[in-house]
Amino acid sequence: MKHLLHALEGRLAALPVPMAVQLPAGRQLGASKPAVTLRFRDRMALVALATGEIGNVGAAIVEGRVALEGGMRDLMAAAAGLLTRDPAHGQQHRWWHRALARARSMAAHTLGHDARHIQFHYDLSDDFYALWLDERRVYSCAYYQGAAMELGQAQEAKLDHICRKLRLAPGERFLDIGAGWGGLLLWAAEHYGVDATGITLSRHQHAHVQRLIEERGLQGRVRMELRDYRELQPREPFDKIASVGMFEHVGRAQMGRYFDTVHRLLRPGGLLLNHGITAGAVGNTQLGAGMGDFIEAYIFPGGELLHVSVVLADMARAGLEMVDTENLRPHYARTLWAWSDRLEAQLPAAREVLAAQGGAGRGDKVLRAYRLYLAGSALGFERGWMALHQMLAIRPDGDTATGTMPGAQSDYPFTREYIYKN
């Protein structure tokens, strides 16, 4: 233990922010005037810190075995310096690890398990999410077209960016898979005149969007269904499909089926926009340094990240042709910092809302988890441990005369000009 503490002292001295660590016996290491202090009540959590397993330290903070003093931005600056290996590239994945991960993925992503996983996260508390999301409650990466954009403006820019990529037009049948609190669904209907269908497994989100549809008089043109994507059986295929922040919940073992289903739901010549988090390294099943375990336990049970190359391969096998891919990784870092800062500014209100849901003890635990999750994720996107890709694909119709040029076989014009021009 002595050599671990000696190494820890060296890393503390080299951190970009002053940090102190109080040992279980009371001795303090690090800065005398710290911006961040961790007070350890547990020796195993101290070992996790000394060995760079910062995800396990996060779990100890959530469980109350480590007390945290300080802000999230300072804590994350320190956390990056305490790592002993790259959490995206540091794991060795032999064939039996991959086989085991696939077996676990298959078991985790049944219809029943997926519904419970989604409800665990998204049905936590609408009032809690409303404290730190924008007014539309868009819970996915924003698009910061300009440096001065506020969160709400950047989320509207993202919604419009997706609609423009899909070339939405009045009267088209549009499907939003995993429609959340309805931001994209309603934007597409109100600004582009589409006939819009959204699906979700969250009971809270379903009820919220149903209320918005009625309040805005969109009945008959917009509908929200409480349904798994595998159970959707429309009378006719959709012209355009978006999936935003959803396919991270699908699982590696179900990814082929997911894209096969999207292919079935999309008319020949139609467009798909798949927007979601991807892994920063090829072959990873989750982030290392205990981070993936933290997310699985406290935030997104059943969530799995795949490298964009793996996703595109599954997409291609399903008969969907990728026509444009855009990486918005730093946009998500900025989005997450905006969420984190908004939550930090509302801690008393958040504590009150969560206590009303499940009692003070559970509420404090959930709040600690979300503070670490939002700031830690922002750090992960800044460092490139994760990425955010928008993948635009077509279902070719087989007719080389279709489209704006010979061989397009779809609504896609094979130029990006239409996305950006006013």
Side-chain angles (χ1 to χ4, degrees):
M1 188 68 177
K2 286 184 179 180
H3 72 281
L4 287 177
L5 292 179
H6 180 72
L8 177 59
E9 283 187 288
R11 289 205 297 278
L12 288 172
L15 292 178
V17 296
M19 179 177 180
V21 170
Q22 186 180 74
L23 308 185
R27 177 187 166 200
Q28 185 162 307
L29 308 178
S32 58
K33 294 182 179 180
V36 178
T37 301
L38 295 179
R39 302 189 187 280
F40 285 78
R41 300 161 187 156
D42 182 289
R43 285 179 60 86
M44 292 307 298
L46 183 60
V47 171
L49 181 69
T51 55
E53 295 292 312
I54 62 174
N56 294 339
V57 178
I61 292 172
V62 172
E63 298 296 337
R65 294 182 284 116
V66 176
L68 165 65
E69 298 172 9
M72 288 297 106
R73 286 182 177 265
D74 286 335
L75 177 63
M76 292 305 139
L82 290 167
L83 286 166
T84 56
R85 68 181 192 276
D86 186 328
H89 297 85
Q91 292 179 294
Q92 297 296 318
H93 298 288
R94 300 183 185 276
W95 69 266
W96 60 84
H97 292 145
R98 295 191 294 271
L100 181 58
R102 184 173 182 83
R104 286 175 176 167
S105 177
M106 186 68 74
H109 293 286
T110 63
L111 291 173
H113 283 155
D114 279 343
R116 287 190 291 274
H117 293 160
I118 294 300
Q119 289 159 15
F120 174 88
H121 184 87
Y122 296 97
D123 288 352
L124 173 63
S125 166
D126 281 12
D127 291 338
F128 173 64
Y129 287 114
L131 289 173
W132 45 274
L133 296 177
D134 66 297
E135 289 185 3
R136 297 178 185 275
R137 296 189 195 174
V138 182
Y139 193 18
S140 53
C141 175
Y143 183 53
Y144 287 90
Q145 286 178 304
M149 271 191 167
E150 299 291 338
L151 175 65
Q153 295 171 315
Q155 289 293 13
E156 289 185 352
K158 185 269 300 294
L159 299 179
D160 211 58
H161 196 48
I162 290 172
C163 292
R164 290 168 75 95
K165 283 187 174 186
L166 285 170
R167 304 187 78 205
L168 294 184
E172 287 187 324
R173 288 170 47 78
F174 170 63
L175 172 65
D176 187 358
I177 302 176
W181 284 279
L184 176 60
L185 188 73
L186 299 175
W187 185 274
E190 292 177 331
H191 290 80
Y192 288 83
V194 297
D195 182 274
T197 298
I199 59 173
T200 182
L201 291 175
S202 163
R203 297 183 186 279
H204 287 200
Q205 292 177 341
H206 177 257
H208 178 79
V209 178
Q210 291 284 62
R211 286 194 300 271
L212 292 179
I213 291 171
E214 293 178 11
E215 289 172 6
R216 300 183 187 188
L218 294 171
Q219 302 95 321
R221 194 154 64 83
V222 181
R223 62 209 58 83
M224 183 73 159
E225 299 184 18
L226 190 64
R227 192 179 303 278
D228 190 284
Y229 72 94
R230 289 163 286 195
E231 297 181 312
L232 193 58
Q233 298 288 340
R235 291 190 302 274
E236 56 182 306
F238 295 91
D239 299 295
K240 310 289 172 62
I241 297 176
S243 175
V244 181
M246 179 272 173
F247 93 117
E248 302 94 316
H249 302 286
V250 168
R252 179 67 185 91
Q254 292 287 349
M255 199 59 66
R257 182 179 181 182
Y258 167 72
F259 282 119
D260 284 342
T261 301
V262 171
H263 183 275
R264 171 178 61 82
L265 294 171
L266 185 63
R267 69 159 168 83
L271 275 70
L272 160 71
L273 190 288
N274 197 84
H275 166 125
I277 303 171
T278 52
V282 179
N284 260 10
T285 56
Q286 65 175 14
L287 283 177
M291 296 180 189
D293 293 333
F294 178 91
I295 294 294
E296 171 73 23
Y298 297 108
I299 307 299
F300 289 119
E304 297 179 46
L305 301 184
L306 306 178
H307 191 264
V308 63
S309 62
V310 177
V311 178
L312 291 174
D314 282 325
M315 185 184 286
R317 277 190 283 269
L320 297 166
E321 179 185 356
M322 187 275 289
V323 291
D324 192 80
T325 296
E326 183 176 15
N327 187 350
L328 299 179
R329 180 181 58 76
H331 291 263
Y332 212 177
R334 184 171 172 182
T335 304
L336 282 151
W337 277 128
W339 290 341
S340 176
D341 291 343
R342 287 162 70 95
L343 178 57
E344 293 300 299
Q346 295 271 15
L347 290 179
R351 198 168 282 114
E352 183 178 344
V353 165
L354 292 171
Q357 290 287 119
R362 170 165 168 71
D364 284 347
K365 181 176 173 178
V366 170
L367 183 55
R368 290 193 293 268
Y370 271 74
R371 292 179 71 195
L372 293 170
Y373 145 63
L374 292 175
S377 296
L379 175 67
F381 282 100
E382 283 183 343
R383 295 291 175 126
W385 303 334
M386 299 173 288
L388 189 289
H389 282 92
Q390 286 189 346
M391 292 160 269
L392 186 64
I394 61 173
R395 178 183 171 181
D397 65 8
D399 183 353
T400 57
T402 300
T404 59
M405 66 177 65
Q409 300 185 54
S410 68
D411 295 343
Y412 184 66
F414 283 87
T415 172
R416 283 179 167 174
E417 182 183 3
Y418 78 97
I419 299 174
Y420 300 105
K421 70 179 181 182
N422 292 323

